Amino acid sequence: MWHSLRLRLLLISIIVVLIATGVTAFVASRRTTGEFERYVEQRVPVDGRRLAYLIGRVYTVNGGWESVQSEVEQISANRGDRIIVVNGNGIVVADSDKAAIGKPPDRRWPPPVAGLFGADGPLGELYVFPKRGPNDPDRAFLSAVNRSVLFGALIAGLAAVAFTLATSSRILKPVERLTDAARRMERGDLSVQVDIDSEDEIGQLAHAFNSMAGSLAQQETLRRNLVSDVAHELRTPLTNLRGYLEASRDGLIIPDAALVNNLYEETMLLQRLVLDLQDLAQVDAGQLTLLSTPTDLGGLLEQAATMFQVQAQEKGVTVVADAPGDLPVVTVDPERIAQVLRNLVSNAIAHTPAGGAVTLSAHADAHEVTVAVSDTGEGISPEHLPHVFDRFYRVDPSRTRQTGGAGLGLAIVRQLVLAHGGSVAVESKPGEGSVFTFTLPVDAPA
Ligand code: ADP
């Protein structure tokens, strides 16, 4: 399995090893060579004085240069250096390579390593040239050092390849699992989650992937529920309409004013449902345009209370607005906030028995205005309280027909308030009443 990422990791480690060992080999080799040459150069003069003494003695014992040539050749054969002897007249009298015999010393030669002395004083000079041939033991030592550095580099390279191959699986395994999960998701399995608990970048990627998959699954569930809820809500009024219309067409019932009114109510229900859905869809799609303008909230509260007077009186419920006169100005869409208030007040009246009261109030701090719609009605039990703002959530579905709601009113309230940068909340005690509150941000002082 030569995934390209694996190949790249391998190439990177090989390149790193090559650079590292190459630089080490280069530096080590240069350094060893330098040190070695210095050592060899230092060794020659010390050695040279001993050699000069030896050759001086050979000259003295034999009384001439004749035997010096064979002595020089022998010494040279032993140690590998070229040895040249120059007499007092400046003529080469012995050369281990024989080439320079009878000639004066070459100008390019380095200075002599020592003077030659016999029993009667100076005899001449001694030259020693360290051998640079392939058999030179110094050279051999250097190339042995270089060879071992190269060998080390080779071992390091092989170790790096083996190590990369062994560890790359560990690194790439989570990536493969993520890819696999993404493919499953592509095929429609939104429940997929990857089990990677490392803290590194891949762990973070897996974490992000899991939360993305989670929220996609949640969205999908919401979408499915929405479609089935909408279908469910449409079914009852449509079945009623169809039943009455069929019965009238077949002459089973004579349509009178009461029946027409009933049919009219059903179409009103349908229309309200469609309008509510339209509002929610607009907010969801981010298409809700807020026509925001500096607004007097106290005025809106008064308007809402007045609007419901007749309906409330019929039920024997009082509706009052009780807002302080010095509420700060808020920049909101007055139509949308009026819609929020209408939904809350109509709910409050619907759930408050005769003799009860609905109160609209407001207070402000430096950052926000809080509006409250409280009632002295039936209240909401704690298990329902966290869900009342959910779509299609109804505390008592069997009462839908009486209140006329599809469980969308509070969902719309929440979306509209959120769109204004505020928040919603509810508190309630069953049997005592409920308080629905929402906040709106106060304009920053200019
Ligand atoms: P609907 O349009 O069906 O009234 P809502 O979203 O407005 O739906 O409300 C959701 C549920 O919350 C309703 O089923 C209702 O029982 C409950 N509810 C809302 N307001 C009140 C209130 N003031 N007092 C008691 N129950 C309420």
Side-chain angles (χ1 to χ4, degrees):
M1 285 211 300
W2 281 100
H3 294 290
S4 68
L5 196 56
R6 193 190 298 265
L7 195 63
R8 262 182 276 168
L9 280 173
L10 196 62
L11 280 178
I12 288 170
S13 66
I14 290 176
I15 289 171
V16 168
V17 166
L18 281 182
I19 291 175
T21 48
V23 169
T24 313
F26 179 72
V27 171
S29 150
R30 278 195 64 128
R31 181 105 205 188
T32 325
T33 312
E35 286 294 318
F36 215 86
E37 271 166 3
R38 231 192 327 279
Y39 160 74
V40 169
E41 271 161 23
Q42 281 167 359
R43 194 191 62 184
V44 170
V46 180
D47 238 24
R49 276 197 293 279
R50 267 216 325 264
L51 257 179
Y53 172 75
L54 193 78
I55 292 169
R57 273 188 58 87
V58 171
Y59 176 88
T60 312
V61 170
N62 294 298
W65 295 114
E66 289 74 37
S67 49
V68 170
Q69 173 63 26
S70 60
E71 184 69 27
V72 159
E73 278 176 28
Q74 204 175 338
I75 297 169
S76 168
N78 282 342
R79 49 182 286 156
D81 300 334
R82 181 181 180 188
I83 297 167
I84 293 174
V85 176
V86 175
N87 67 10
N89 301 327
I91 298 297
V92 174
V93 287
D95 174 4
S96 58
D97 284 5
K98 298 194 180 101
I101 293 176
K103 295 178 187 165
D106 196 317
R107 283 219 186 92
R108 288 165 301 174
W109 290 357
V113 294
L116 288 171
F117 295 93
D120 309 326
L123 294 172
E125 279 165 335
L126 174 70
Y127 291 81
V128 176
F129 303 93
K131 265 255 160 54
R132 300 283 182 211
N135 298 327
D136 178 0
D138 299 345
R139 288 276 136 195
F141 173 77
L142 273 183
S143 53
V145 169
N146 287 342
R147 264 203 308 279
S148 46
V149 170
L150 273 178
F151 185 66
L154 194 71
I155 300 273
L158 287 176
V161 170
F163 186 71
T164 309
L165 284 178
T167 51
S168 63
S169 316
R170 272 180 61 110
I171 298 172
L172 296 179
K173 194 116 251 140
V175 178
E176 282 163 10
R177 289 226 293 272
L178 270 166
T179 313
D180 190 46
R183 293 225 169 93
R184 273 169 54 199
M185 194 186 243
E186 192 189 8
R187 290 194 293 268
D189 178 4
L190 293 179
S191 65
V192 52
Q193 292 277 301
V194 277
D195 178 23
I196 297 170
D197 51 8
S198 62
E199 293 291 318
D200 57 11
E201 286 83 349
I202 291 182
Q204 287 167 15
L205 177 63
H207 192 71
F209 179 88
N210 283 345
S211 44
M212 181 190 75
S215 81
L216 274 177
Q218 202 183 7
Q219 292 293 324
E220 181 62 12
T221 316
L222 273 179
R223 192 185 64 79
R224 283 201 191 129
N225 288 349
L226 188 72
V227 172
S228 78
D229 285 339
V230 169
H232 179 81
E233 293 305 323
L234 290 173
R235 197 177 313 128
T236 318
L238 276 177
T239 312
N240 275 346
L241 277 172
R242 193 182 143 193
Y244 282 124
L245 289 173
E246 272 178 1
S248 305
R249 183 194 61 189
D250 300 344
L252 297 177
I253 50 172
I254 314 285
D256 58 3
L259 175 65
V260 172
N261 201 36
N262 206 331
L263 296 182
Y264 174 76
E265 294 281 318
E266 294 294 350
T267 55
M268 288 301 285
L269 269 184
L270 281 174
Q271 192 180 23
R272 184 178 153 192
L273 177 65
V274 170
L275 288 177
D276 282 356
L277 282 170
Q278 210 173 11
D279 277 347
L280 273 176
Q282 265 188 347
V283 184
D284 284 350
Q287 285 171 350
L288 180 80
T289 21
L290 293 176
L291 303 172
S292 294
T293 161
T295 303
D296 163 30
L297 261 185
L300 282 185
L301 264 60
E302 291 287 351
Q303 263 178 33
T306 315
M307 185 185 212
F308 283 94
Q309 283 309 323
V310 177
Q311 194 182 325
Q313 264 167 23
E314 279 174 6
K315 238 199 130 180
V317 175
T318 59
V319 180
V320 286
D322 177 22
D326 58 349
L327 277 181
V329 168
V330 285
T331 299
V332 294
D333 183 336
E335 255 312 302
R336 295 302 185 174
I337 296 304
Q339 187 182 358
V340 167
L341 287 168
R342 279 200 302 276
N343 283 3
L344 292 178
V345 175
S346 74
N347 272 353
I349 294 173
H351 294 279
T352 304
V358 173
T359 313
L360 289 81
S361 59
H363 65 268
D365 63 21
H367 307 292
E368 57 190 18
V369 179
T370 307
V371 178
V373 177
S374 45
D375 63 61
T376 58
E378 66 202 39
I380 304 166
S381 53
E383 75 266 24
H384 294 298
L385 216 46
H387 303 291
V388 288
F389 289 103
D390 293 351
R391 285 169 196 200
F392 293 109
Y393 191 86
R394 281 170 306 211
V395 170
D396 181 2
S398 62
R399 284 188 51 198
T400 322
R401 306 300 297 161
Q402 294 163 31
T403 57
L408 289 176
L410 289 178
I412 291 173
V413 164
R414 178 170 63 180
Q415 293 299 74
L416 290 180
V417 171
L418 288 181
H420 279 89
S423 61
V424 290
V426 57
E427 280 174 30
S428 185
K429 275 206 181 121
E432 286 183 27
S434 315
V435 185
F436 283 84
T437 53
F438 66 92
T439 62
L440 291 171
V442 168
D443 296 358

